[in-house]
Amino acid sequence: MTKNLEPLTPTEAKDMFLADRHGQVAERTVQADDYRLRHFIRWTEENGIDNLNDLSGRTLHKFRLWRKEDGDLNKVSLRTQLKSLRVFIKWCESIDAVEEGLHEKILLPTPSKEEERREETLRTGQAEEVLEYLRRFEYASRSHTLLELLWHTGLRIGAVYSLDIEDYDPEEERLELTHRPDTETALKNKSEGERMIALSRHVCEVLDDWLEHNRPDVLDDHGRELLFTSEEGRLTISTMRERVYSVTRPCYYGKDCPHDRSVDDCEATRYGYRSKCPSSVSPHSIRRGSITHFLTENVPEKVVSDRMGVGQDVLDKHYDKRGEEVKVEQRRDYINGI
C-alpha cells in the first residue's frame, strides 16, 4: 500500500537531515554530507524539482548520470557521493517525503581493485609550485599555512579541523592530535588516532606568523582557541576543501591553463566550482601525495605509517603511489655493498 507523501522542498529536506545528523555522527561526517548533497540540490534547482514527492528511480538515475559527467568523477568518487545520497533519501522515506524503498533504486558503481588504488595524487612537482607561489605572494595567509601543514604532515583534513592553538608547541616544534568528541572534534580513528607529530623549523615559522599576524582572534562555541579560524569561528572542513581546490588550479599559481580553457569563461573560477578544474586536487590527494613523497625520499614505511596515522597494509594499498621502478631502485640502495 502506497503511503501518503507530504510535500517538501529539497533544500528544506537537506537542512532538516543535517540538523538531525548533528549529535548522531561526527561533525566532519555532517560537513561531508553537506558538501556532497549540495550537488544534488543544485541539480534539482536546475531541473525545476521543488518537491521531493516527485522523485522516482528514473529521476535519481538521471541525477547519477549527470553527476558523473558534471564532476568528471571516477567510480570511487561517484560511489562515495551516491552513498551519501542514499542515506539522505532513506531518511526522507522516514518522514514521508519520498516513496518507501526509493533509496534502494540508487545504484552504486562497483570499482575494481585497481580503480580503488588509482586515485588522484598531488605530485611533488605540483606541490612545490603551489607552495613556491604561496610563500612568495600569500605568505602566512590562511591558504598558505593550511597547504604547508597538509603537505608537511599528510594529515587528514578532519585532523586539521580539530586543532587548537594549545595543540601546537613552537618550542618543541610539534603538534599533538587529541580526540575530543564532546566538543565536536572527533578524530577518524578516535583515541587510537592521538599522536604527536614533529614539525620542521620552516613550518613552525609559518604557523608562528599566521598566529601572530593573520589569524582572526575568535573562539568556538566551546570556548576553545582554534588553530585555523575564519571571522565566524572554527574554519569548516568544506571551506578548507574549497581553499585547497582553489589554490591547486594552475591558473591560480601563475601557470598557463593545461586544458585550453579561457579564465573568463571557465566555471572553475567561481566559488563552489573550483573542483571542476581537472588539475585541482582535494585535501586527501595532498595526503596521498605527501605520503608518497616521504616514501620516495627513503623515509622508512614504519615511520611514515606512524606519522600519518595509517596502518602499513592500508598504506601499501591506498597511499603508496611510487612506481615499481622507484621501489626497486630504492631497494637496490639498501643492498648495495652488502
PDB file of all heavy atoms in Angstrom, residues 31 160-164 167 180 183-185 218-222 224-237 239-240:
ATOM      1  N   GLN A  31      29.540  17.595   7.770  1.00  0.00           N
ATOM      2  CA  GLN A  31      30.072  18.534   6.787  1.00  0.00           C
ATOM      3  C   GLN A  31      30.294  17.854   5.438  1.00  0.00           C
ATOM      4  O   GLN A  31      30.065  18.463   4.382  1.00  0.00           O
ATOM      5  CB  GLN A  31      31.366  19.149   7.310  1.00  0.00           C
ATOM      6  CG  GLN A  31      31.149  20.056   8.515  1.00  0.00           C
ATOM      7  CD  GLN A  31      32.438  20.670   9.019  1.00  0.00           C
ATOM      8  OE1 GLN A  31      33.522  20.333   8.551  1.00  0.00           O
ATOM      9  NE2 GLN A  31      32.336  21.562   9.990  1.00  0.00           N
ATOM     10  N   VAL A 160      43.140  18.310  10.917  1.00  0.00           N
ATOM     11  CA  VAL A 160      43.492  19.731  10.892  1.00  0.00           C
ATOM     12  C   VAL A 160      42.353  20.556  11.497  1.00  0.00           C
ATOM     13  O   VAL A 160      42.582  21.495  12.268  1.00  0.00           O
ATOM     14  CB  VAL A 160      43.792  20.197   9.460  1.00  0.00           C
ATOM     15  CG1 VAL A 160      44.054  21.705   9.422  1.00  0.00           C
ATOM     16  CG2 VAL A 160      44.994  19.448   8.905  1.00  0.00           C
ATOM     17  N   TYR A 161      41.130  20.180  11.166  1.00  0.00           N
ATOM     18  CA  TYR A 161      39.951  20.865  11.705  1.00  0.00           C
ATOM     19  C   TYR A 161      39.918  20.802  13.228  1.00  0.00           C
ATOM     20  O   TYR A 161      39.440  21.718  13.898  1.00  0.00           O
ATOM     21  CB  TYR A 161      38.698  20.209  11.120  1.00  0.00           C
ATOM     22  CG  TYR A 161      37.390  20.676  11.707  1.00  0.00           C
ATOM     23  CD1 TYR A 161      36.817  21.883  11.312  1.00  0.00           C
ATOM     24  CD2 TYR A 161      36.708  19.899  12.645  1.00  0.00           C
ATOM     25  CE1 TYR A 161      35.604  22.304  11.841  1.00  0.00           C
ATOM     26  CE2 TYR A 161      35.502  20.315  13.185  1.00  0.00           C
ATOM     27  CZ  TYR A 161      34.959  21.517  12.776  1.00  0.00           C
ATOM     28  OH  TYR A 161      33.765  21.935  13.312  1.00  0.00           O
ATOM     29  N   SER A 162      40.444  19.742  13.801  1.00  0.00           N
ATOM     30  CA  SER A 162      40.354  19.528  15.248  1.00  0.00           C
ATOM     31  C   SER A 162      41.390  20.314  16.047  1.00  0.00           C
ATOM     32  O   SER A 162      41.306  20.384  17.269  1.00  0.00           O
ATOM     33  CB  SER A 162      40.544  18.032  15.564  1.00  0.00           C
ATOM     34  OG  SER A 162      41.909  17.653  15.440  1.00  0.00           O
ATOM     35  N   LEU A 163      42.371  20.923  15.383  1.00  0.00           N
ATOM     36  CA  LEU A 163      43.500  21.519  16.086  1.00  0.00           C
ATOM     37  C   LEU A 163      43.172  22.838  16.780  1.00  0.00           C
ATOM     38  O   LEU A 163      42.514  23.717  16.209  1.00  0.00           O
ATOM     39  CB  LEU A 163      44.657  21.744  15.117  1.00  0.00           C
ATOM     40  CG  LEU A 163      45.348  20.490  14.574  1.00  0.00           C
ATOM     41  CD1 LEU A 163      46.307  20.857  13.455  1.00  0.00           C
ATOM     42  CD2 LEU A 163      46.072  19.744  15.693  1.00  0.00           C
ATOM     43  N   ASP A 164      43.639  22.973  18.012  1.00  0.00           N
ATOM     44  CA  ASP A 164      43.597  24.220  18.765  1.00  0.00           C
ATOM     45  C   ASP A 164      45.011  24.787  18.841  1.00  0.00           C
ATOM     46  O   ASP A 164      45.989  24.086  18.579  1.00  0.00           O
ATOM     47  CB  ASP A 164      43.077  23.988  20.186  1.00  0.00           C
ATOM     48  CG  ASP A 164      41.606  23.606  20.218  1.00  0.00           C
ATOM     49  OD1 ASP A 164      40.954  23.699  19.164  1.00  0.00           O
ATOM     50  OD2 ASP A 164      41.131  23.201  21.289  1.00  0.00           O
ATOM     51  N   ASP A 167      47.440  22.868  20.918  1.00  0.00           N
ATOM     52  CA  ASP A 167      47.970  21.623  20.369  1.00  0.00           C
ATOM     53  C   ASP A 167      49.298  21.831  19.643  1.00  0.00           C
ATOM     54  O   ASP A 167      49.965  20.861  19.270  1.00  0.00           O
ATOM     55  CB  ASP A 167      46.965  20.993  19.399  1.00  0.00           C
ATOM     56  CG  ASP A 167      45.649  20.654  20.072  1.00  0.00           C
ATOM     57  OD1 ASP A 167      45.685  20.243  21.246  1.00  0.00           O
ATOM     58  OD2 ASP A 167      44.590  20.801  19.429  1.00  0.00           O
ATOM     59  N   ARG A 180      38.517  14.683  20.713  1.00  0.00           N
ATOM     60  CA  ARG A 180      37.617  15.439  21.585  1.00  0.00           C
ATOM     61  C   ARG A 180      36.176  15.369  21.069  1.00  0.00           C
ATOM     62  O   ARG A 180      35.615  16.372  20.602  1.00  0.00           O
ATOM     63  CB  ARG A 180      38.056  16.900  21.666  1.00  0.00           C
ATOM     64  CG  ARG A 180      39.499  17.131  22.127  1.00  0.00           C
ATOM     65  CD  ARG A 180      39.760  18.625  22.254  1.00  0.00           C
ATOM     66  NE  ARG A 180      41.139  18.934  22.579  1.00  0.00           N
ATOM     67  CZ  ARG A 180      42.054  19.338  21.689  1.00  0.00           C
ATOM     68  NH1 ARG A 180      41.731  19.448  20.404  1.00  0.00           N
ATOM     69  NH2 ARG A 180      43.282  19.619  22.073  1.00  0.00           N
ATOM     70  N   THR A 183      33.374  17.949  22.289  1.00  0.00           N
ATOM     71  CA  THR A 183      33.337  19.328  21.797  1.00  0.00           C
ATOM     72  C   THR A 183      33.471  19.365  20.271  1.00  0.00           C
ATOM     73  O   THR A 183      34.039  20.288  19.696  1.00  0.00           O
ATOM     74  CB  THR A 183      34.449  20.172  22.452  1.00  0.00           C
ATOM     75  OG1 THR A 183      35.710  19.475  22.357  1.00  0.00           O
ATOM     76  CG2 THR A 183      34.140  20.442  23.909  1.00  0.00           C
ATOM     77  N   GLU A 184      32.962  18.316  19.618  1.00  0.00           N
ATOM     78  CA  GLU A 184      32.715  18.282  18.172  1.00  0.00           C
ATOM     79  C   GLU A 184      33.973  18.227  17.310  1.00  0.00           C
ATOM     80  O   GLU A 184      33.956  18.654  16.152  1.00  0.00           O
ATOM     81  CB  GLU A 184      31.854  19.475  17.741  1.00  0.00           C
ATOM     82  CG  GLU A 184      30.498  19.521  18.445  1.00  0.00           C
ATOM     83  CD  GLU A 184      29.661  20.711  18.020  1.00  0.00           C
ATOM     84  OE1 GLU A 184      30.027  21.369  17.030  1.00  0.00           O
ATOM     85  OE2 GLU A 184      28.632  20.968  18.675  1.00  0.00           O
ATOM     86  N   THR A 185      35.068  17.699  17.863  1.00  0.00           N
ATOM     87  CA  THR A 185      36.258  17.484  17.027  1.00  0.00           C
ATOM     88  C   THR A 185      36.812  16.082  17.263  1.00  0.00           C
ATOM     89  O   THR A 185      37.890  15.924  17.840  1.00  0.00           O
ATOM     90  CB  THR A 185      37.359  18.540  17.298  1.00  0.00           C
ATOM     91  OG1 THR A 185      37.681  18.516  18.699  1.00  0.00           O
ATOM     92  CG2 THR A 185      36.907  19.929  16.900  1.00  0.00           C
ATOM     93  N   VAL A 218      39.285  34.548  17.346  1.00  0.00           N
ATOM     94  CA  VAL A 218      37.944  34.141  17.764  1.00  0.00           C
ATOM     95  C   VAL A 218      38.006  32.785  18.461  1.00  0.00           C
ATOM     96  O   VAL A 218      38.961  32.023  18.290  1.00  0.00           O
ATOM     97  CB  VAL A 218      36.963  34.060  16.571  1.00  0.00           C
ATOM     98  CG1 VAL A 218      36.762  35.424  15.946  1.00  0.00           C
ATOM     99  CG2 VAL A 218      37.476  33.069  15.524  1.00  0.00           C
ATOM    100  N   LEU A 219      36.960  32.506  19.250  1.00  0.00           N
ATOM    101  CA  LEU A 219      36.820  31.224  19.933  1.00  0.00           C
ATOM    102  C   LEU A 219      35.673  30.459  19.297  1.00  0.00           C
ATOM    103  O   LEU A 219      34.815  31.037  18.611  1.00  0.00           O
ATOM    104  CB  LEU A 219      36.518  31.435  21.421  1.00  0.00           C
ATOM    105  CG  LEU A 219      37.499  32.297  22.225  1.00  0.00           C
ATOM    106  CD1 LEU A 219      36.973  32.485  23.644  1.00  0.00           C
ATOM    107  CD2 LEU A 219      38.874  31.666  22.250  1.00  0.00           C
ATOM    108  N   ASP A 220      35.628  29.141  19.523  1.00  0.00           N
ATOM    109  CA  ASP A 220      34.466  28.386  19.055  1.00  0.00           C
ATOM    110  C   ASP A 220      33.390  28.398  20.143  1.00  0.00           C
ATOM    111  O   ASP A 220      33.531  29.062  21.181  1.00  0.00           O
ATOM    112  CB  ASP A 220      34.853  26.964  18.636  1.00  0.00           C
ATOM    113  CG  ASP A 220      35.193  26.059  19.810  1.00  0.00           C
ATOM    114  OD1 ASP A 220      35.169  26.524  20.961  1.00  0.00           O
ATOM    115  OD2 ASP A 220      35.488  24.868  19.568  1.00  0.00           O
ATOM    116  N   ASP A 221      32.295  27.687  19.894  1.00  0.00           N
ATOM    117  CA  ASP A 221      31.173  27.694  20.832  1.00  0.00           C
ATOM    118  C   ASP A 221      31.520  27.068  22.171  1.00  0.00           C
ATOM    119  O   ASP A 221      30.770  27.201  23.141  1.00  0.00           O
ATOM    120  CB  ASP A 221      29.982  26.956  20.215  1.00  0.00           C
ATOM    121  CG  ASP A 221      29.430  27.679  18.996  1.00  0.00           C
ATOM    122  OD1 ASP A 221      29.670  28.903  18.892  1.00  0.00           O
ATOM    123  OD2 ASP A 221      28.782  27.024  18.150  1.00  0.00           O
ATOM    124  N   HIS A 222      32.642  26.351  22.234  1.00  0.00           N
ATOM    125  CA  HIS A 222      33.054  25.698  23.473  1.00  0.00           C
ATOM    126  C   HIS A 222      34.171  26.466  24.179  1.00  0.00           C
ATOM    127  O   HIS A 222      34.759  25.964  25.136  1.00  0.00           O
ATOM    128  CB  HIS A 222      33.509  24.264  23.185  1.00  0.00           C
ATOM    129  CG  HIS A 222      32.464  23.431  22.514  1.00  0.00           C
ATOM    130  ND1 HIS A 222      31.408  22.862  23.191  1.00  0.00           N
ATOM    131  CD2 HIS A 222      32.292  23.101  21.206  1.00  0.00           C
ATOM    132  CE1 HIS A 222      30.641  22.201  22.340  1.00  0.00           C
ATOM    133  NE2 HIS A 222      31.161  22.323  21.136  1.00  0.00           N
ATOM    134  N   ARG A 224      37.081  27.265  22.935  1.00  0.00           N
ATOM    135  CA  ARG A 224      38.411  26.790  22.558  1.00  0.00           C
ATOM    136  C   ARG A 224      39.075  27.767  21.584  1.00  0.00           C
ATOM    137  O   ARG A 224      38.425  28.339  20.703  1.00  0.00           O
ATOM    138  CB  ARG A 224      38.313  25.402  21.931  1.00  0.00           C
ATOM    139  CG  ARG A 224      37.952  24.321  22.929  1.00  0.00           C
ATOM    140  CD  ARG A 224      37.528  23.025  22.248  1.00  0.00           C
ATOM    141  NE  ARG A 224      38.527  22.524  21.307  1.00  0.00           N
ATOM    142  CZ  ARG A 224      38.365  21.413  20.583  1.00  0.00           C
ATOM    143  NH1 ARG A 224      37.248  20.703  20.711  1.00  0.00           N
ATOM    144  NH2 ARG A 224      39.307  21.025  19.756  1.00  0.00           N
ATOM    145  N   GLU A 225      40.399  27.957  21.753  1.00  0.00           N
ATOM    146  CA  GLU A 225      41.173  28.782  20.840  1.00  0.00           C
ATOM    147  C   GLU A 225      41.602  27.921  19.652  1.00  0.00           C
ATOM    148  O   GLU A 225      42.391  26.988  19.805  1.00  0.00           O
ATOM    149  CB  GLU A 225      42.404  29.357  21.541  1.00  0.00           C
ATOM    150  CG  GLU A 225      42.091  30.454  22.525  1.00  0.00           C
ATOM    151  CD  GLU A 225      43.356  31.141  23.007  1.00  0.00           C
ATOM    152  OE1 GLU A 225      44.180  30.450  23.635  1.00  0.00           O
ATOM    153  OE2 GLU A 225      43.525  32.346  22.743  1.00  0.00           O
ATOM    154  N   LEU A 226      41.117  28.237  18.500  1.00  0.00           N
ATOM    155  CA  LEU A 226      41.274  27.404  17.318  1.00  0.00           C
ATOM    156  C   LEU A 226      42.563  27.748  16.577  1.00  0.00           C
ATOM    157  O   LEU A 226      42.955  28.914  16.498  1.00  0.00           O
ATOM    158  CB  LEU A 226      40.078  27.621  16.386  1.00  0.00           C
ATOM    159  CG  LEU A 226      38.741  27.898  17.097  1.00  0.00           C
ATOM    160  CD1 LEU A 226      37.725  28.422  16.116  1.00  0.00           C
ATOM    161  CD2 LEU A 226      38.255  26.634  17.758  1.00  0.00           C
ATOM    162  N   LEU A 227      43.186  26.739  16.004  1.00  0.00           N
ATOM    163  CA  LEU A 227      44.382  26.998  15.210  1.00  0.00           C
ATOM    164  C   LEU A 227      44.021  27.656  13.885  1.00  0.00           C
ATOM    165  O   LEU A 227      44.635  28.643  13.475  1.00  0.00           O
ATOM    166  CB  LEU A 227      45.161  25.697  14.968  1.00  0.00           C
ATOM    167  CG  LEU A 227      46.515  25.869  14.266  1.00  0.00           C
ATOM    168  CD1 LEU A 227      47.462  26.714  15.114  1.00  0.00           C
ATOM    169  CD2 LEU A 227      47.149  24.516  13.970  1.00  0.00           C
ATOM    170  N   PHE A 228      43.009  27.116  13.208  1.00  0.00           N
ATOM    171  CA  PHE A 228      42.553  27.699  11.947  1.00  0.00           C
ATOM    172  C   PHE A 228      41.167  28.290  12.139  1.00  0.00           C
ATOM    173  O   PHE A 228      40.230  27.582  12.531  1.00  0.00           O
ATOM    174  CB  PHE A 228      42.531  26.642  10.830  1.00  0.00           C
ATOM    175  CG  PHE A 228      43.889  26.317  10.291  1.00  0.00           C
ATOM    176  CD1 PHE A 228      44.564  25.186  10.715  1.00  0.00           C
ATOM    177  CD2 PHE A 228      44.511  27.157   9.374  1.00  0.00           C
ATOM    178  CE1 PHE A 228      45.827  24.884  10.231  1.00  0.00           C
ATOM    179  CE2 PHE A 228      45.774  26.866   8.880  1.00  0.00           C
ATOM    180  CZ  PHE A 228      46.436  25.733   9.310  1.00  0.00           C
ATOM    181  N   THR A 229      41.055  29.579  11.864  1.00  0.00           N
ATOM    182  CA  THR A 229      39.789  30.272  12.092  1.00  0.00           C
ATOM    183  C   THR A 229      39.384  31.096  10.880  1.00  0.00           C
ATOM    184  O   THR A 229      40.196  31.430  10.018  1.00  0.00           O
ATOM    185  CB  THR A 229      39.905  31.226  13.295  1.00  0.00           C
ATOM    186  OG1 THR A 229      40.952  32.182  13.017  1.00  0.00           O
ATOM    187  CG2 THR A 229      40.213  30.494  14.575  1.00  0.00           C
ATOM    188  N   SER A 230      38.094  31.414  10.863  1.00  0.00           N
ATOM    189  CA  SER A 230      37.570  32.460   9.998  1.00  0.00           C
ATOM    190  C   SER A 230      37.032  33.534  10.936  1.00  0.00           C
ATOM    191  O   SER A 230      37.139  33.408  12.155  1.00  0.00           O
ATOM    192  CB  SER A 230      36.451  31.906   9.106  1.00  0.00           C
ATOM    193  OG  SER A 230      35.336  31.542   9.902  1.00  0.00           O
ATOM    194  N   GLU A 231      36.426  34.551  10.384  1.00  0.00           N
ATOM    195  CA  GLU A 231      35.862  35.596  11.234  1.00  0.00           C
ATOM    196  C   GLU A 231      34.685  35.071  12.049  1.00  0.00           C
ATOM    197  O   GLU A 231      34.315  35.647  13.063  1.00  0.00           O
ATOM    198  CB  GLU A 231      35.419  36.794  10.388  1.00  0.00           C
ATOM    199  CG  GLU A 231      36.562  37.659   9.875  1.00  0.00           C
ATOM    200  CD  GLU A 231      37.432  36.949   8.844  1.00  0.00           C
ATOM    201  OE1 GLU A 231      36.967  35.957   8.240  1.00  0.00           O
ATOM    202  OE2 GLU A 231      38.586  37.385   8.650  1.00  0.00           O
ATOM    203  N   GLU A 232      34.074  33.955  11.621  1.00  0.00           N
ATOM    204  CA  GLU A 232      32.906  33.415  12.300  1.00  0.00           C
ATOM    205  C   GLU A 232      33.240  32.352  13.342  1.00  0.00           C
ATOM    206  O   GLU A 232      32.412  32.001  14.167  1.00  0.00           O
ATOM    207  CB  GLU A 232      31.928  32.804  11.284  1.00  0.00           C
ATOM    208  CG  GLU A 232      31.210  33.818  10.409  1.00  0.00           C
ATOM    209  CD  GLU A 232      32.119  34.395   9.337  1.00  0.00           C
ATOM    210  OE1 GLU A 232      32.978  33.653   8.830  1.00  0.00           O
ATOM    211  OE2 GLU A 232      31.984  35.594   9.032  1.00  0.00           O
ATOM    212  N   GLY A 233      34.437  31.799  13.318  1.00  0.00           N
ATOM    213  CA  GLY A 233      34.783  30.743  14.269  1.00  0.00           C
ATOM    214  C   GLY A 233      35.725  29.734  13.644  1.00  0.00           C
ATOM    215  O   GLY A 233      36.563  30.086  12.805  1.00  0.00           O
ATOM    216  N   ARG A 234      35.591  28.479  14.029  1.00  0.00           N
ATOM    217  CA  ARG A 234      36.465  27.429  13.501  1.00  0.00           C
ATOM    218  C   ARG A 234      36.285  27.304  11.992  1.00  0.00           C
ATOM    219  O   ARG A 234      35.159  27.273  11.491  1.00  0.00           O
ATOM    220  CB  ARG A 234      36.146  26.091  14.181  1.00  0.00           C
ATOM    221  CG  ARG A 234      37.152  24.985  13.855  1.00  0.00           C
ATOM    222  CD  ARG A 234      36.809  23.685  14.568  1.00  0.00           C
ATOM    223  NE  ARG A 234      36.955  23.787  16.011  1.00  0.00           N
ATOM    224  CZ  ARG A 234      38.101  23.637  16.671  1.00  0.00           C
ATOM    225  NH1 ARG A 234      39.217  23.379  16.003  1.00  0.00           N
ATOM    226  NH2 ARG A 234      38.140  23.743  17.991  1.00  0.00           N
ATOM    227  N   LEU A 235      37.391  27.256  11.273  1.00  0.00           N
ATOM    228  CA  LEU A 235      37.337  27.112   9.822  1.00  0.00           C
ATOM    229  C   LEU A 235      36.755  25.749   9.479  1.00  0.00           C
ATOM    230  O   LEU A 235      37.259  24.722   9.920  1.00  0.00           O
ATOM    231  CB  LEU A 235      38.744  27.251   9.235  1.00  0.00           C
ATOM    232  CG  LEU A 235      38.843  27.469   7.721  1.00  0.00           C
ATOM    233  CD1 LEU A 235      38.227  28.803   7.337  1.00  0.00           C
ATOM    234  CD2 LEU A 235      40.305  27.420   7.284  1.00  0.00           C
ATOM    235  N   THR A 236      35.668  25.727   8.726  1.00  0.00           N
ATOM    236  CA  THR A 236      34.978  24.471   8.444  1.00  0.00           C
ATOM    237  C   THR A 236      35.761  23.620   7.456  1.00  0.00           C
ATOM    238  O   THR A 236      36.584  24.123   6.684  1.00  0.00           O
ATOM    239  CB  THR A 236      33.583  24.726   7.869  1.00  0.00           C
ATOM    240  OG1 THR A 236      33.711  25.351   6.578  1.00  0.00           O
ATOM    241  CG2 THR A 236      32.751  25.616   8.792  1.00  0.00           C
ATOM    242  N   ILE A 237      35.469  22.342   7.473  1.00  0.00           N
ATOM    243  CA  ILE A 237      36.125  21.421   6.549  1.00  0.00           C
ATOM    244  C   ILE A 237      35.780  21.770   5.106  1.00  0.00           C
ATOM    245  O   ILE A 237      36.637  21.706   4.219  1.00  0.00           O
ATOM    246  CB  ILE A 237      35.730  19.971   6.878  1.00  0.00           C
ATOM    247  CG1 ILE A 237      36.395  19.544   8.194  1.00  0.00           C
ATOM    248  CG2 ILE A 237      36.138  19.022   5.751  1.00  0.00           C
ATOM    249  CD1 ILE A 237      36.026  18.151   8.662  1.00  0.00           C
ATOM    250  N   THR A 239      35.158  24.681   3.859  1.00  0.00           N
ATOM    251  CA  THR A 239      35.931  25.860   3.465  1.00  0.00           C
ATOM    252  C   THR A 239      37.388  25.488   3.224  1.00  0.00           C
ATOM    253  O   THR A 239      38.013  25.952   2.265  1.00  0.00           O
ATOM    254  CB  THR A 239      35.839  26.952   4.536  1.00  0.00           C
ATOM    255  OG1 THR A 239      34.474  27.330   4.710  1.00  0.00           O
ATOM    256  CG2 THR A 239      36.637  28.184   4.127  1.00  0.00           C
ATOM    257  N   MET A 240      37.954  24.633   4.087  1.00  0.00           N
ATOM    258  CA  MET A 240      39.324  24.159   3.863  1.00  0.00           C
ATOM    259  C   MET A 240      39.420  23.441   2.521  1.00  0.00           C
ATOM    260  O   MET A 240      40.374  23.648   1.750  1.00  0.00           O
ATOM    261  CB  MET A 240      39.742  23.202   4.978  1.00  0.00           C
ATOM    262  CG  MET A 240      39.935  23.835   6.338  1.00  0.00           C
ATOM    263  SD  MET A 240      40.546  22.584   7.508  1.00  0.00           S
ATOM    264  CE  MET A 240      40.386  23.462   9.061  1.00  0.00           C
TER     265      MET A 240
END
